[in-house]
Amino acid sequence: MAGKVNDGLRFFWGKARPAGQAEDVTAPTHPLVAHMLDVAAVAVLWPGSSRLGLDRRQLGLLVALHDMGKVTPAFQAKVPAHWPRQALGPLPDTVVDSRHDVDGLILLDRVCADVLAPLFGADADGLEWEADDKAQLWRAVAGHHGQPVAIDETRARTLGHAACAAHARELAGLLLDVFRPPPIPVPSLDQLRQLEWQLAGVTVVTDWIGSRQDWFPYVQPDDVADAAGYFWNHALPRAQHALARAGLGPVTVAPFRGIGHLFAHVQVPSPVQALLEEIALPAGPALVVIEDMTGSGKTEAALVVAHRLMASGRATGLFVALPTMATANAMFDRIAAAYRGLFQPSAHPSLALAHGRALLDPRFAAVVAPDDALDAAAVPQARMEAAEVSCAAWLAGESRRALLAQVGVGTIDQALMAVLPVRFATIRQAGLAGKVLLVDECHAYDPYMQAEMAALLRFHASMGGSAILLSATLTKAVRQKLVAAFRAGLQQEAPVSLSSTAYPLVTLVGCDGMTEQPCAPRPGLARRIAVRQSGSEAAVMVDVVAAAGQGAAVAWVRNTVDDVIATARALAQQGVEAQVFHARFAMIDRLAIERDVLARFGRNSMPADRAGVLVASQVIEQSLDLDFDVLCTDLAPMDLIIQRAGRLRRHQRAARPIDRDEICVLAPAPVDDPDPEWIRRLLPGTAAVYRDPALLWRTARALLRMGTIESPGNVRDLIEAAGDTSITPEGLATASSVATGHGLAAHDAARRNILHHEWGYTPGSGLWEPDIRTPTRLEERPYVTVRLGVLRAGQVWPWAALKDETLAAAHAHRRAWALSEVSVAQGRLASCHVAEDAREAVATARAGWSRWEREADDRFLLLLLTEVEGGAEGRGHNAKGHAVVVRYDNRYGLEVVPAPAG
DNA sequence: AACAAAAAAAAA
């Protein structure tokens, strides 16, 4: 009879309740066979599985086999009380320890090879599966612990003769009998690579879902005596339920009916929006690059393309990637308002925010439904309809799972980790597979991240995915590189060369080539800003003071925090109380300043409040919608100067105290033959932050020559002129080439780190070593996270809890500490001093932190502050071991100064 | 000699 479990097999356990968990469940363990079938059932029903191109019976069998390694004594002895003596006799005194994922691969690939042979077919010419190719499928299902596994030949010889070999063969035969799959045809190499990566992802996703005890209650060994019966009558119904609860039930995409159906507020589409509503998209996976001015409605235009790609069956969901958590949070709000329009009204797609701090965002936390809320049967109809935006708790709980939601918004890092050899990269791949990958602000990346981006586009295209890139302007070189990466993923090695310098511009890329489509700018958005160079700090200071005297809204963007603070102090001496804004504040204070700055200088600011000076670091460069009458800035690379200039006269205003379309750039004169000290003499900090002085020099020179920044008129020319490395003055050549070298090294480092799709899911596809942590961003120098605390009544309180009482509650603990953080260069502060009598209180406070934060005590510092006039003070040591005083001032932020002697 | 902002970090 089909699917009858041989006597002993049902006693093998697959899951055991962790010690200490409630005993109110019927069984202490879950049979191995049951767990295998649970997970297989989830795989068969998971909508994402359809992309694999496998028959459900084939998929079910492959995924069921993922835990084959658990038949070994090594695994069964892990909980001696559950040792299956009915099958294996008494528990031996010693059992060799071994990993069940590695053992699983050996059992599948070697021990059970002949039993499982019927799964593999031959093609029309009688050509059969290569042994190595079969091994890849086994690797995909066996390597379900986050990274690919290799066969250990010594272990393979041992296992081949072990008693459990017979059990493994029986188990394989049993599962084969449950699923009775038709043979899988011989794949092309390309198909195989796609299949193995995707299979690896599906196995992990479904194993995570199928391992939830509350969705798959433990059963008794006798319940799996009829394995096929268990699969059909228990596993499948539970899997369907589980998928709905996880927020991964099937959803249907709505047909595209025009931009107005997605965004009620769009009455008249902008030219780029109108173009993208109509333009013919290339067949198959497509890359669409949209370059247009800020304020032109690029995001809406991108969602139009995304919807069209989805509606034409090329994708089932969307992931929006942004450069920062703050921009991701803001985008989450915008997408939340529109995403339901992508799907049929009856569908309940999940929308998730994916980044390290997602659950600290109150807007996301508010839409996280309890586990059962998405279970259609359990939720009253009224509530279903009311739930405009929702995300299952299971998805929301963790960033890797959040990527699985039908619509996701998050940091680019979350997507980049899909192409890095980090644990469970495959689940991130599974999350992105079948989605439109929308990358916003895609110019904002350094060489390391650019190389990762290229790798991501290539991998995504290899998996059949489409992508949309948004930017104000890309250099041609970057656009070329990203286009080439996508085409490489489509196996199109023939180079295409970009020619258009039009702006705005839409670039369309597909299997059959590339087209560039110029586009008109949105009417009324054109800008022309004059650029005035100022050669000394003092002169800028005079201008700022004068403008403040006239009641203007003035901003000075400085390149270092120390300069920001020093400038604000100098202004104060002249009677001008400037507001200070940079990132060296505790998060709670930074957010408060941000709110204040937005109220004063934002879109809805009142003329009476606007008079005043803001001295800020790069924090106001992007994403904050600020508007100043007068804008000064330290010299910076061209794209950043253009970004900063966008903060001048950004909004329509009736009257301005100073009414001039002009920015002032503090920069040394771009003389023809600058000496090596050219930038450092005037702006030493700037030289350290922006390492290529030639880039700064070309920026200053181009600005001076053109005299204006005109959008859309000359921004492309300005950026290309600043990036033209063929013009590098001799005096700056050395420093410039050092900087270029750093960039190349970073680029190379990324290329060494990334995963190679074409090598398949093997240990060799990347640096998978467990002790290597591959970062998504390179850190040029180490930073520590300083958490500010205050000792009161023998207890350490997070700084934030003193500022906001609601954060003092126990449940707000995590949030309170996160809001009390400041990031400081380790060179300045490496350790904090804790007085003898505060030691216990500090230890108690740290004990409440997450394991990661607790254990990395050289990276997560707790600084005890004592209140002093105007702020607070603490003590510590810098990286050289010198004693320092940390001053925290409510207006100026955190400063580290040498401790007074003695 | 001098240094922005930015992200990540537990398993099935």
Side-chain angles (χ1 to χ4, degrees):
Chain A
M1 276 262 301
K4 284 289 178 216
V5 174
N6 289 2
D7 265 0
L9 228 39
R10 67 193 138 129
F11 295 107
F12 286 78
W13 60 277
K15 293 273 160 188
R17 195 170 43 233
Q21 226 167 300
E23 296 286 323
D24 60 345
V25 210
T26 46
T29 61
H30 196 44
L32 176 57
V33 173
H35 172 66
M36 289 170 129
L37 292 172
D38 291 344
V39 177
V42 178
V44 163
L45 294 180
W46 186 44
S49 296
S50 58
R51 274 187 300 274
L52 271 63
L54 290 175
D55 179 281
R56 288 173 169 211
R57 292 162 288 180
Q58 298 161 345
L59 177 69
L61 175 60
L62 282 165
V63 171
L65 291 166
H66 78 282
D67 259 346
M68 178 57 93
K70 287 185 175 173
V71 296
T72 59
F75 180 84
Q76 292 299 318
K78 282 197 192 305
V79 184
H82 302 329
W83 174 261
R85 62 195 147 67
Q86 298 90 332
L88 301 179
L91 176 65
D93 291 338
T94 56
V95 176
V96 186
D97 194 31
S98 183
R99 280 172 44 179
H100 81 263
D101 52 353
V102 177
D103 285 351
L105 176 58
I106 294 170
L107 293 173
L108 291 170
D109 188 51
R110 305 283 172 83
V111 176
C112 302
D114 57 331
V115 181
L116 293 167
L119 182 58
F120 300 98
D123 68 10
D125 303 328
L127 202 69
E128 300 197 348
W129 277 73
E130 300 276 342
D132 283 353
D133 293 351
K134 290 185 189 177
Q136 282 309 110
L137 291 198
W138 300 134
R139 238 188 259 281
V141 293
H144 64 290
H145 284 187
Q147 59 190 65
V149 288
I151 288 186
D152 172 348
E153 291 298 339
T154 320
R155 178 72 180 159
R157 274 193 295 277
T158 318
L159 270 185
H161 301 111
C164 70
H167 294 116
R169 294 166 60 86
E170 261 174 49
L171 185 51
L174 171 79
L175 293 168
L176 191 69
D177 201 30
V178 169
F179 292 99
R180 307 198 169 181
I184 307 174
V186 179
S188 69
L189 183 60
D190 216 34
Q191 290 167 330
L192 178 69
R193 292 297 177 247
Q194 264 203 44
L195 178 57
E196 63 186 272
W197 283 108
Q198 297 209 36
L199 185 57
V202 169
T203 305
V204 173
V205 173
T206 56
D207 191 25
W208 285 16
I209 296 173
S211 297
R212 292 252 338 202
Q213 198 185 336
D214 41 352
W215 295 343
F216 294 89
Y218 287 4
V219 299
Q220 305 284 354
D222 285 349
D223 294 328
V224 290
D226 171 11
Y230 176 85
F231 180 72
W232 290 100
N233 302 325
H234 295 271
L236 277 175
R238 281 174 185 158
Q240 190 172 20
H241 219 229
L243 280 164
R245 289 174 167 192
L248 295 176
V251 294
T252 317
V253 172
F256 176 67
R257 290 203 199 84
I259 190 167
H261 283 265
L262 282 176
F263 304 99
H265 67 271
V266 176
Q267 318 264 310
V268 184
S270 73
V272 72
Q273 291 167 349
L275 176 75
L276 290 168
E277 275 189 297
E278 299 294 334
I279 198 168
L281 298 171
L287 172 70
V288 181
V289 186
I290 306 172
E291 295 168 275
D292 201 349
M293 291 175 276
T294 35
S296 62
K298 278 195 295 286
T299 311
E300 290 80 1
L303 284 181
V304 163
V305 181
H307 194 178
R308 290 184 59 199
L309 289 166
M310 289 166 66
S312 62
R314 276 175 277 194
T316 54
L318 170 69
F319 182 73
V320 188
L322 294 113
T324 67
M325 298 193 279
T327 47
N329 292 347
M331 181 62 80
F332 180 79
D333 267 3
R334 296 175 66 188
I335 299 290
Y339 86 108
R340 294 294 294 266
L342 299 169
F343 300 90
Q344 294 286 11
S346 58
H348 294 98
S350 287
L351 169 69
L353 181 61
H355 62 65
R357 295 259 168 90
L359 283 171
L360 294 182
D361 183 77
R363 291 160 301 194
F364 182 49
V367 303
V368 175
D371 261 0
D372 292 316
L374 288 179
D375 180 356
V379 180
Q381 191 62 25
R383 164 140 197 199
M384 276 307 240
E385 277 155 17
E388 283 295 304
V389 180
S390 63
C391 183
W394 187 80
L395 290 176
E398 200 221 298
S399 55
R400 294 176 294 201
R401 298 196 298 243
L403 281 182
L404 295 166
Q406 285 93 1
V407 178
V409 179
T411 50
I412 181 77
D413 306 74
Q414 296 296 330
L416 292 176
M417 278 187 277
V419 290
L420 294 175
V422 298
R423 290 202 77 190
F424 296 107
T426 51
I427 203 170
R428 296 178 189 275
Q429 292 162 11
L432 294 177
K435 292 214 175 94
V436 175
L437 174 63
L438 169 48
V439 183
D440 199 1
E441 311 266 11
C442 80
H443 55 270
Y445 300 114
D446 62 21
Y448 182 82
M449 293 188 79
Q450 247 177 51
E452 288 177 299
M453 273 276 300
L456 176 61
L457 286 176
R458 181 172 180 166
F459 205 104
H460 193 61
S462 298
M463 305 276 268
S466 294
I468 305 169
L469 310 179
L470 304 185
S471 174
T473 45
L474 289 172
T475 62
K476 201 170 178 181
V478 170
R479 187 161 53 107
Q480 179 88 56
K481 216 176 88 179
L482 297 175
V483 166
F486 190 82
R487 290 199 23 105
L490 296 179
Q491 315 284 322
Q492 305 295 317
E493 305 292 345
V496 293
S497 82
L498 308 172
S499 57
S500 180
T501 55
Y503 183 72
L505 182 70
V506 171
T507 310
L508 292 167
V509 183
C511 285
D512 41 2
M514 184 270 309
T515 56
E516 294 170 290
Q517 183 73 47
C519 183
R522 164 167 252 170
L525 221 56
R527 295 288 312 273
R528 182 175 188 282
I529 296 170
V531 179
R532 181 166 58 87
Q533 179 239 344
S534 186
S536 83
E537 225 168 82
V540 177
M541 193 74 93
V542 169
D543 288 353
V544 167
V545 172
Q550 293 179 57
V554 188
W556 186 352
V557 186
R558 305 234 55 184
N559 290 339
T560 71
V561 174
D562 286 344
D563 281 350
V564 168
I565 295 171
T567 300
R569 289 218 166 97
L571 283 168
Q573 289 207 325
Q574 300 191 36
V576 177
E577 295 294 323
Q579 181 156 19
V580 172
F581 189 21
H582 53 66
R584 223 194 285 151
F585 282 96
M587 190 49 81
I588 192 163
D589 297 326
R590 175 177 171 173
L591 292 174
I593 295 170
E594 188 179 298
R595 275 195 300 276
D596 195 31
V597 166
L598 274 169
R600 282 183 77 187
F601 306 113
R603 191 167 284 275
N604 301 315
S605 57
M606 306 305 283
D609 302 329
R610 290 174 53 80
V613 179
L614 175 71
V615 187
S617 72
Q618 293 84 337
V619 287
I620 64 163
E621 210 162 67
Q622 41 177 298
S623 81
L624 285 184
D625 190 13
L626 299 173
D627 166 11
F628 298 96
D629 306 322
V630 173
L631 188 88
C632 304
T633 169
D634 292 357
L635 180 62
M638 183 68 85
D639 54 328
L640 303 180
I641 294 286
I642 293 174
Q643 287 264 18
R644 295 176 190 185
R647 270 67 195 156
L648 181 77
R649 300 161 63 94
R650 190 181 177 86
H651 306 142
Q652 294 285 345
R653 295 201 164 266
R656 294 178 187 269
I658 293 179
D659 208 6
R660 256 199 317 271
D661 258 324
E662 181 189 78
I663 62 165
C664 166
V665 178
L666 172 58
V671 291
D672 284 341
D673 53 346
D675 66 290
E677 299 301 308
W678 176 76
I679 185 70
R680 209 166 333 186
R681 209 175 295 120
L682 179 64
L683 295 166
T686 298
V689 173
Y690 303 112
R691 303 294 274 273
D692 184 350
L695 173 62
L696 294 172
W697 178 82
R698 286 190 300 264
T699 299
R701 199 173 70 134
L703 287 172
L704 198 73
R705 288 193 169 177
M706 300 258 193
T708 58
I709 297 171
E710 289 169 44
S711 188
N714 71 359
V715 292
R716 270 237 208 271
D717 295 343
L718 286 171
I719 285 178
E720 296 294 341
D724 181 2
T725 51
S726 69
I727 304 169
T728 297
E730 213 181 296
L732 308 180
T734 310
S736 179
S737 72
V738 169
T740 312
H742 274 125
L744 288 175
H747 193 272
D748 273 5
R751 306 229 349 146
R752 274 194 306 277
N753 282 347
I754 56 170
L755 294 179
H756 296 269
H757 185 271
E758 63 275 22
W759 294 350
Y761 185 63
T762 58
S765 57
L767 300 165
W768 286 101
E769 282 81 17
D771 50 330
I772 298 179
R773 220 189 68 72
T774 311
T776 54
R777 305 187 187 210
L778 278 191
E779 222 180 25
E780 219 170 277
R781 58 201 178 115
Y783 273 77
V784 291
T785 300
V786 183
R787 293 183 151 183
L788 305 180
V790 173
L791 195 61
R792 287 222 175 134
Q795 202 184 334
V796 178
W797 292 90
W799 179 255
L802 302 183
K803 302 230 162 175
D804 176 353
E805 277 183 8
T806 64
L807 290 170
H811 70 268
H813 202 255
R814 256 187 72 109
R815 203 176 142 70
W817 278 116
L819 286 168
S820 305
E821 284 177 1
V822 203
S823 184
V824 181
Q826 197 189 31
R828 291 173 188 249
L829 184 67
S831 64
C832 295
H833 175 78
V834 184
E836 193 66 53
D837 58 349
R839 236 160 246 177
E840 208 179 304
V842 166
T844 309
R846 286 194 77 104
W849 295 0
S850 76
R851 192 178 137 214
W852 166 263
E853 298 156 349
R854 213 165 52 228
E855 288 179 359
D857 57 358
D858 55 337
R859 298 287 310 260
F860 279 85
L861 310 184
L862 198 165
L863 179 66
L864 276 187
L865 293 178
T866 323
E867 275 161 273
V868 297
E869 168 120 30
E873 218 172 75
R875 288 188 295 142
H877 287 87
N878 65 18
K880 288 183 175 163
H882 298 152
V884 294
V885 172
V886 181
R887 286 210 306 255
Y888 192 84
D889 183 290
N890 290 324
R891 256 186 74 194
Y892 295 108
L894 186 146
E895 289 176 278
V896 183
V897 298

